[in-house]
Amino acid sequence: WYQRRVREAVVSTQSTGSSGINAEYGGYWGIRALGEPARLILRYVDADWIETTIPPTKEGAGMWFGGLKHSLGLDFPNLPYLIDGEVKLTESTAIYRYLGRKYDLMPNDVIRGDLAEQLVAGLRTYITKIAYSGEFEKSKPRFITMINTRLAEFTKFLGDGPFLFGEKVTYVDFMAFEFWEQCRRLNPDSFKDMDVVNGYLERVAGLPRIKEWIESEDCTRNTYSINSPMCAWPGFPEDVNK
């Protein structure tokens, strides 16, 4: 089912939001990975946006590297990318920050905001290393140890919440939400008895428009793998064999 869906995707676009003007244009592989936090932010703020989804296949790679990559006027062509009027960005964290500034989703405490951003960005770096490793099973125990350590630290940092920086939802919350969810998919046992973190993830999942998206049939949790389908740990949707 999953491989058939990916092959059929070719290049698709999707849009959301209610204003119908000033659309942002983004592009990424048809996987969650580094693209998902930006998708979540855009849905949360009800932005108008269009995404070019490039299937994670040989055909998709040929499409990206064979022409599209160098046709968009990007300073450093890469995926994901974001085009918003004259603003053209690549590098995932730069995109998250830009959206945070545009939509008033910046932490009030800049120093702790930078710290939290880099902590959760590091989670995705670890996921990438193990998922694309030629020694996945050998590397997994070390990754699990790291997750367990970071979960304890994150719990302390979160404090009384309800979000990372109190009542205000920030772009870092969407990074943390997605990358912790990826970690939880890889090793659910690490999250047992982690009531503070699990409660936090539930609160983010329950935010306006995010809840509706997660519960929809088209949610990327149901349709995209976390990583490339060809890597050691793709992180396929949970219902892939149903």
Side-chain angles (χ1 to χ4, degrees):
W1 168 85
Y2 181 79
Q3 291 296 331
R4 183 177 70 252
R5 184 183 181 96
V6 167
R7 285 195 298 270
E8 290 173 349
V10 192
V11 171
S12 62
T13 61
Q14 61 184 35
S15 62
T16 187
S18 56
S19 70
I21 58 174
N22 297 327
E24 286 137 327
Y25 297 82
Y28 193 55
W29 301 109
I31 59 177
R32 287 165 61 181
L34 293 170
E36 201 67 9
R39 295 174 180 135
L40 291 168
I41 293 169
L42 289 165
R43 290 190 179 281
Y44 175 66
V45 301
D46 201 24
D48 296 299
W49 61 295
I50 299 170
E51 178 178 348
T52 297
T53 305
I54 301 169
T57 61
K58 289 183 179 179
E59 293 81 3
M63 192 179 308
W64 170 247
F65 293 106
L68 184 59
K69 180 176 181 178
H70 296 287
S71 69
L72 300 170
L74 302 169
D75 290 325
F76 302 98
N78 203 353
L79 293 170
Y81 67 81
L82 177 75
I83 299 174
D84 184 17
E86 295 183 357
V87 175
K88 296 185 177 184
L89 283 175
T90 52
E91 301 306 316
S92 55
T93 304
I95 291 171
Y96 310 151
R97 288 178 186 168
Y98 173 78
L99 294 175
R101 287 191 292 268
K102 179 173 180 177
Y103 293 110
D104 190 27
L105 297 175
M106 296 298 290
N108 293 326
D109 187 329
V110 176
I111 294 175
R112 286 175 63 82
D114 289 348
L115 176 62
E117 175 200 88
Q118 291 305 300
L119 169 71
V120 296
L123 293 175
R124 179 57 214 179
T125 299
Y126 280 114
I127 294 170
T128 300
K129 286 182 178 179
I130 187 173
Y132 292 86
S133 169
E135 299 181 322
F136 173 72
E137 293 300 333
K138 183 179 179 180
S139 302
K140 187 176 178 180
R142 185 168 64 251
F143 178 75
I144 292 172
T145 298
M146 184 279 296
I147 290 179
N148 296 339
T149 299
R150 287 287 184 260
L151 279 169
E153 296 169 344
F154 189 82
T155 297
K156 183 178 179 180
F157 187 93
L158 183 62
D160 295 330
F163 302 105
L164 274 171
F165 302 96
E167 296 290 337
K168 183 178 183 180
V169 176
T170 71
Y171 77 95
V172 187
D173 286 300
F174 293 105
M175 292 176 63
F177 172 71
E178 175 59 24
F179 296 156
W180 276 129
E181 286 289 355
Q182 293 180 17
C183 290
R184 182 156 65 175
R185 176 70 66 81
L186 193 150
N187 192 59
D189 288 345
S190 291
F191 290 78
K192 290 181 178 179
D193 302 320
M194 298 301 298
D195 295 341
V196 173
V197 176
N198 290 329
Y200 165 75
L201 296 177
E202 290 175 4
R203 287 191 292 276
V204 178
L207 288 169
R209 289 172 293 279
I210 300 300
K211 182 177 186 294
E212 291 82 355
W213 168 239
I214 290 175
E215 293 175 350
S216 71
E217 292 184 359
D218 292 330
C219 178
T220 43
R221 291 186 177 196
N222 304 322
T223 57
Y224 287 177
S225 60
I226 291 173
N227 302 299
S228 167
M230 284 77 79
C231 74
W233 183 69
F236 287 121
E238 292 177 340
D239 65 348
V240 68
N241 295 316
K242 292 182 181 180

